[in-house]
């Protein structure tokens, strides 16, 4: 029997967001064990909200539950990067093209870009980067397309966190973001889409050389 979804309790939501934040900012690293009792003690809650939060994070692909190893932060490898970035390369540039063609507001993207420039630490910059990309694809006019991209958003951020830890490339990406936004603001949907595709592809290629096959190239 299919159960009716219920709202996530506030304690579970708090634990969920905090664990996610720690993963996406590199405080919790790929492969690291997530022990319910330890997390419950850190957050001052019982094990129940921790367990529910971990189940939700497993559903989004950020953590892995194993009968033998318990719960761990998902490992990032070339196969994972290929899967996630293949989806982004197929869908995100097209979503941006549609947003530009519809004359959608890009105020949120511009604001996110400013927040990234003003960020004082990795966590702030990472969050602003995520919001910039989302602000480009969300107003595409197709809510399903937006939700599909939202579904891989956390996994893409995990790949980014690992890549930035190994080789920070914030300044290069910030310049690419500004160019993408400029083209979009000028109403050049095709050029904006191509620039976004190149931006996404070059990032994953720097982090995982050779990960994209010919089908992933435009």
């Amino acid at each position: 029997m299919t159960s009716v979804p219920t709202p996530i309790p506030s304690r579970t939501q708090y634990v969920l967001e905090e664990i996610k934040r720690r993963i996406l900012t590199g405080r919790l690293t790929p492969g690291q064990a997530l022990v319910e009792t330890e997390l419950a003690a850190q957050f001052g809650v019982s094990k129940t909200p921790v367990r529910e939060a971990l189940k939700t994070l497993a559903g989004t692909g950020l953590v892995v539950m194993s009968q033998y190893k318990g719960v761990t932060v998902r490992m990032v490898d070339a196969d994972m990067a290929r899967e996630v970035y293949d989806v982004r390369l197929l869908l995100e540039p097209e979503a941006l093209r549609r947003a530009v063609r519809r004359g959608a507001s890009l105020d949120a993207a511009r604001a996110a870009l400013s927040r990234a420039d003003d960020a004082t630490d990795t966590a702030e910059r990472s969050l602003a980067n995520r919001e910039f990309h989302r602000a480009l694809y969300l107003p595409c006019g197709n809510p399903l397309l937006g939700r599909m991209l939202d579904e891989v958003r956390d996994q893409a951020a995990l790949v980014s966190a690992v890549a930035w830890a190994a080789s920070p490339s914030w300044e290069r990406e910030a310049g690419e973001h500004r160019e993408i936004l400029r083209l979009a603001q000028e109403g050049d949907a095709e050029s904006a889409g191509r620039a976004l595709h190149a931006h996404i592809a070059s990032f994953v290629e720097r982090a995982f050389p050779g990960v994209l096959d010919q089908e992933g190239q435009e």
Side-chain angles (χ1 to χ4, degrees), residues 4-79:
V4 178
T6 57
I8 298 177
S10 58
R11 286 187 179 181
T12 300
Q13 188 65 44
Y14 162 70
V15 173
L16 171 66
E17 293 301 328
E18 183 59 22
I19 295 175
K20 180 193 290 188
R21 186 184 69 80
R22 293 183 183 188
I23 292 173
L24 297 183
T25 57
R27 186 171 171 184
L28 292 172
T29 57
Q32 184 170 341
L34 301 174
V35 182
E36 288 182 10
T37 53
E38 294 177 0
L39 291 170
Q42 289 177 29
F43 298 132
V45 299
S46 69
K47 290 195 296 183
T48 300
V50 174
R51 186 177 303 118
E52 293 304 313
L54 292 176
K55 286 180 182 177
T56 300
L57 290 170
T60 65
L62 282 184
V63 307
V64 176
M65 291 183 162
S66 168
Q67 180 179 352
Y68 304 104
K69 295 183 180 180
V71 184
T72 57
V73 179
R74 182 173 180 177
M75 293 294 294
V76 175
D77 57 20
D79 287 339

Side-chain angles (χ1 to χ4, degrees), residues 19-204:
I19 295 175
K20 180 193 290 188
R21 186 184 69 80
R22 293 183 183 188
I23 292 173
L24 297 183
T25 57
R27 186 171 171 184
L28 292 172
T29 57
Q32 184 170 341
L34 301 174
V35 182
E36 288 182 10
T37 53
E38 294 177 0
L39 291 170
Q42 289 177 29
F43 298 132
V45 299
S46 69
K47 290 195 296 183
T48 300
V50 174
R51 186 177 303 118
E52 293 304 313
L54 292 176
K55 286 180 182 177
T56 300
L57 290 170
T60 65
L62 282 184
V63 307
V64 176
M65 291 183 162
S66 168
Q67 180 179 352
Y68 304 104
K69 295 183 180 180
V71 184
T72 57
V73 179
R74 182 173 180 177
M75 293 294 294
V76 175
D77 57 20
D79 287 339
M80 176 201 176
R82 182 184 302 109
E83 291 174 4
V84 172
Y85 275 75
D86 187 40
V87 172
R88 290 190 67 191
L89 287 167
L90 286 170
L91 300 182
E92 201 167 323
E94 178 59 23
L96 173 59
R97 291 185 188 101
R98 294 185 179 199
V100 173
R101 290 180 190 132
R102 337 179 33 237
S105 172
L106 296 170
D107 289 347
R110 189 161 46 248
L113 199 56
S114 295
R115 286 197 302 274
D117 289 339
D118 296 337
T120 57
D121 60 32
T122 300
E124 289 181 21
R125 196 176 289 114
S126 177
L127 180 60
N129 178 71
R130 281 158 52 83
E131 290 304 319
F132 173 78
H133 279 270
R134 190 169 192 262
L136 293 180
Y137 68 68
L138 204 60
C140 67
N142 185 331
L144 178 58
L145 179 54
R147 288 196 298 272
M148 291 172 70
L149 284 163
D150 273 350
E151 286 184 8
V152 300
R153 193 164 169 248
D154 288 345
Q155 294 178 57
L158 180 56
V159 175
S160 297
V162 171
W164 286 323
S167 178
S169 52
W170 297 105
E171 292 186 4
R172 173 173 176 168
E173 285 142 35
E176 292 172 356
H177 284 173
R178 283 189 283 272
E179 177 63 9
I180 293 165
L181 183 59
R182 182 188 69 79
L183 292 168
Q185 288 176 320
E186 291 178 355
D188 190 342
E190 291 304 317
S191 294
R194 284 194 296 271
L196 179 57
H197 187 284
H199 166 70
I200 296 170
S202 65
F203 178 82
V204 73

